[in-house]
Amino acid sequence: MAVVLRKVWGSVLSRSGSGSNRSWPEFPDDHPPLGDLDTLPTDVFMQILQLLEPRCAARSSLVCKSWKALVSDNAVWLHLLKSGKEPWDFLLFAETQLRYGPSLHFNHPSQLSFMNVYAQLATVPGSVIIDGGSGYCKYGWSKYASPSGRCATFLEFGNLESPMHARLRYFFSTIYSRMQVKASSQPIIVSLPICHTDDTEAARASRKQLREAIYSVLFDMNAPAVCAVDQAVLALYAARRTSGIVVNIGFHVTSIVPILRGKVMHDVGIEILGQGALRLTGFLRELMQQRSINFESLYTVRTIKEKLCYIAADYDAELRKNTQGSCEVAGEGWFTLSKERFQTGEMLFQPHIGGVRTMGLHRAVALCMDHCLAAEVASDDTWFKTVVLAGGSACLPGLPERLEKELHKILSPSMSEGVKVMPPPFGADSAWYGAKIISNVSTFANAWCISKKQFRQRFRRNMAW
């Protein structure tokens, strides 16, 4: 401790004339002075804590009674946490809403010991995050600011007729190889796709089979711990919510998923629309072909869609405007679109213009809300009024505002009150960021992960039944 004090005191003296603008938390002055350490400025005390390991920082309360009073004050640890690498708002959401794992027993911030949180965070291991997606997979380290790579989904690995375990093993092995990491070195978080929409016995069995297959393959590859969470739930966490409706515009279909306290409400019902990002891209291709606009591949059309297309606030009014816009595609030059820019996304609300026989997105979300209300699964009927968009095509400008506007039109006044549509919090990578939030919660290892031993015990118990 003496060495640390000398180091800190020297750094303070060296900058004493520079006038630091750094703000520190304020502490009460009513504690009795006990020795020279009581005269140390708060500035010095906070630097001491930051130089110490978390466990030693907590033990600094043994130095004197005044330090004990300061260390027991949550303001100290709140300040240190806010000065950390992770954004404070996400850390606070994780610690107050997710610290107890998938069961999500809520805790008020004032009931938390942020000293314990600060100490526990230092022991949280870095994790490998794999968001399978429906168009392509995003993977990377939990300590990184964004995914480090992308590849095809596990459904596209190997022969579709080959066993699920073989395809999953090939998929995970490929990602581990690209990340240059051994499977046994780090915990892994995997997003689970919404592959079955109803709550029939067959659908439940299929979901359980996929989850168990993922656990089994990863533990066979010697993963130390595994956390598997529904993709829509992860997108909701990225928006700092635990309840709401997630509208995931996937590669092939769009799913409207009700989620209550982190649990997908299969018994309420998931709405599925038979159009997704691929259908929108295909419709834009048809519109471009009608205007004799030449392009080399569907990838070119997708790039143009991402750069130029948007959702009109009022489709009929937009038709009367000059909406011409241009963009450049590497290797192919410049492309200019006009009405095609908003006609492409209008297919979400008027599917018939693209030759698709399904209900509009706004009507599917409204239907899901009706089912949530009728199910009476919670005393508070506002839990489903937050709608979070997810998926790459959900990033089209104007979509949140248009969907919210359409919902207010068709819902009853009592239902529409309080309805809020949120854009994808992290674009196409929202589910990956939701997993990142989980991976950095102080209780991650115990609350969210299961070990190979726990999985085997659970599997044997299920087999016994």
Side-chain angles (χ1 to χ4, degrees):
M1 179 67 76
V3 174
V4 173
L5 284 173
R6 283 196 296 270
K7 182 176 180 181
V8 174
W9 189 248
S11 68
V12 171
L13 290 177
S14 66
R15 66 182 180 83
S16 60
S18 61
S20 174
N21 293 324
R22 194 166 189 176
S23 61
W24 304 97
E26 296 181 0
F27 305 105
D29 296 325
D30 55 357
H31 55 75
L34 295 172
D36 293 338
L37 291 178
D38 287 297
T39 64
L40 285 178
T42 302
D43 189 326
V44 178
F45 174 71
M46 294 300 293
Q47 288 198 44
I48 291 173
L49 291 184
Q50 288 179 311
L51 287 170
L52 294 173
E53 291 294 326
R55 184 175 297 180
C56 293
R59 293 183 64 187
S60 64
S61 62
L62 302 176
V63 173
C64 63
K65 289 185 178 180
S66 61
W67 278 28
K68 181 177 181 180
L70 294 176
V71 169
S72 63
D73 193 324
N74 256 347
V76 174
W77 308 102
L78 281 170
H79 179 82
L80 293 178
L81 289 170
K82 288 179 181 179
S83 303
K85 295 181 180 179
E86 296 300 324
W88 167 244
D89 53 344
F90 286 103
L91 191 150
L92 181 64
F93 167 74
E95 295 300 334
T96 57
Q97 306 294 323
L98 307 179
R99 64 184 286 104
Y100 294 103
S103 56
L104 298 187
H105 297 295
F106 297 108
N107 219 13
H108 192 274
S110 63
Q111 296 176 300
L112 285 176
S113 168
F114 285 106
M115 180 177 69
N116 292 338
V117 170
Y118 183 75
Q120 289 172 336
L121 283 175
T123 66
V124 175
S127 304
V128 172
I129 299 176
I130 300 179
D131 170 27
S134 58
Y136 53 90
C137 164
K138 285 79 68 178
Y139 58 85
W141 290 102
S142 62
K143 301 300 182 182
Y144 287 1
S146 60
S148 57
R150 289 168 169 76
C151 67
T153 68
F154 78 88
L155 293 174
E156 298 178 39
F157 274 72
N159 191 321
L160 289 177
E161 297 180 357
S162 62
M164 177 65 74
H165 279 67
R167 286 158 57 197
L168 284 171
R169 189 178 185 90
Y170 179 27
F171 170 68
F172 289 124
S173 297
T174 299
I175 293 177
Y176 279 127
S177 176
R178 292 183 180 181
M179 293 184 65
Q180 299 182 337
V181 61
K182 292 182 179 180
S184 59
S185 63
Q186 307 290 147
I188 182 170
I189 305 178
V190 182
S191 72
L192 297 171
I194 299 293
C195 45
H196 293 276
T197 62
D198 52 31
D199 197 44
T200 62
E201 186 174 343
R204 289 195 298 270
S206 182
R207 290 195 297 270
K208 180 181 177 182
Q209 183 181 26
L210 175 60
R211 187 183 293 264
E212 289 185 350
I214 289 174
Y215 279 118
S216 179
V217 168
L218 288 170
F219 285 132
D220 286 345
M221 297 174 68
N222 295 319
V226 180
C227 171
V229 185
D230 288 286
Q231 188 180 56
V233 173
L234 293 175
L236 189 64
Y237 290 165
R240 286 173 291 167
R241 299 289 190 279
T242 57
S243 298
I245 293 176
V246 173
V247 176
N248 182 41
I249 303 179
F251 191 63
H252 294 289
V253 300
T254 296
S255 54
I256 294 90
V257 188
I259 299 169
L260 178 61
R261 291 189 288 275
K263 179 183 178 183
V264 175
M265 304 303 290
H266 288 282
D267 51 342
V268 171
I270 298 172
E271 302 297 328
I272 295 292
L273 301 179
Q275 61 175 340
L278 183 60
R279 185 81 71 168
L280 293 179
T281 304
F283 183 44
L284 177 57
R285 176 182 58 187
E286 294 175 10
L287 295 174
M288 291 173 64
Q289 288 172 338
Q290 290 173 12
R291 287 190 52 202
S292 300
I293 300 176
N294 298 319
F295 50 87
E296 290 188 2
S297 66
L298 198 61
Y299 174 80
T300 302
V301 180
R302 191 185 80 177
T303 303
I304 296 171
K305 179 189 73 175
E306 293 172 352
K307 289 187 174 184
L308 288 182
C309 290
Y310 64 95
I311 304 296
D314 186 322
Y315 181 68
D316 294 330
E318 205 74 8
L319 287 169
R320 298 189 292 270
K321 298 179 182 178
N322 179 8
T323 57
Q324 190 174 91
S326 301
C327 72
E328 184 178 16
V329 178
E332 292 197 55
W334 286 84
F335 291 85
T336 300
L337 300 182
S338 183
K339 293 180 174 57
E340 301 83 12
R341 297 181 62 198
F342 61 89
Q343 286 176 327
T344 300
E346 188 63 23
M347 188 178 170
L348 291 171
F349 297 93
Q350 301 187 61
H352 66 275
I353 68 175
V356 178
R357 299 183 62 181
T358 186
M359 73 176 75
L361 180 62
H362 55 304
R363 298 196 178 278
V365 175
L367 182 61
C368 182
M369 288 183 171
D370 285 337
H371 290 163
C372 291
L373 180 64
E376 297 182 343
V377 292
S379 57
D380 182 7
D381 288 338
T382 64
W383 68 269
F384 55 81
K385 292 189 177 184
T386 296
V387 179
V388 177
L389 302 178
S393 292
C395 299
L396 289 173
L399 180 55
E401 296 81 3
R402 173 68 181 280
L403 179 55
E404 188 172 316
K405 174 183 174 182
E406 296 294 340
L407 288 173
H408 281 280
K409 281 184 181 178
I410 62 177
L411 291 172
S412 65
S414 60
M415 277 281 285
S416 64
E417 184 180 359
V419 169
K420 178 65 177 176
V421 179
M422 301 176 63
F426 292 94
D429 299 335
S430 291
W432 190 91
Y433 278 93
K436 175 179 168 66
I437 291 175
I438 290 176
S439 71
N440 289 324
V441 72
S442 62
T443 56
F444 170 68
N446 295 325
W448 287 93
C449 292
I450 69 169
S451 65
K452 183 175 183 177
K453 181 179 179 181
Q454 290 171 323
F455 173 72
R456 299 301 186 204
Q457 290 175 341
R458 185 181 302 177
F459 182 75
R460 285 196 295 268
R461 186 164 59 248
N462 292 338
M463 290 293 290
W465 283 99

